[in-house]
Amino acid sequence: MKLPHALTAFVLLLVIHTVALQAAAALTDQKANQQIDNAINTHYASADIDKAEAKLLEVVKGCSGSCSPATIARAWMYVGIVRG
């Protein structure tokens, strides 16, 4: 009888952990997107190309698996625009 309760508790713990990881990733994406916007709207807009590129590359390195693929792709897209 105790096995089903233990299994239920384990599944519940797994679900809570997954939801918490998704929430943490969203916060990381939000911060990364703010840094991307800052690099483009502040540094790139004022023609400080090197600083803009450095900030964007910091975002890519800072994400290191904690950001969504879309956020990392956005950072790389802007690196390409800045380099172009």
Side-chain angles (χ1 to χ4, degrees), residues 10-82:
F10 176 74
V11 170
L12 182 60
L13 182 62
L14 186 62
V15 169
I16 291 171
H17 179 70
T18 302
V19 169
L21 285 177
Q22 289 174 347
L27 293 175
T28 303
D29 282 340
Q30 182 180 12
K31 184 174 181 178
N33 281 310
Q34 288 172 347
Q35 291 175 352
I36 292 168
D37 291 341
N38 183 42
I40 296 303
N41 297 328
T42 302
H43 304 295
Y44 182 72
S46 65
D48 191 355
I49 305 302
D50 293 333
K51 185 78 169 179
E53 182 180 358
K55 292 290 184 179
L56 292 166
L57 292 174
E58 284 177 17
V59 170
V60 172
K61 290 178 186 175
C63 279
S64 66
S66 62
C67 296
S68 70
T71 299
I72 296 170
R74 183 171 182 254
W76 278 117
M77 177 193 69
Y78 280 116
V79 169
I81 289 171
V82 167

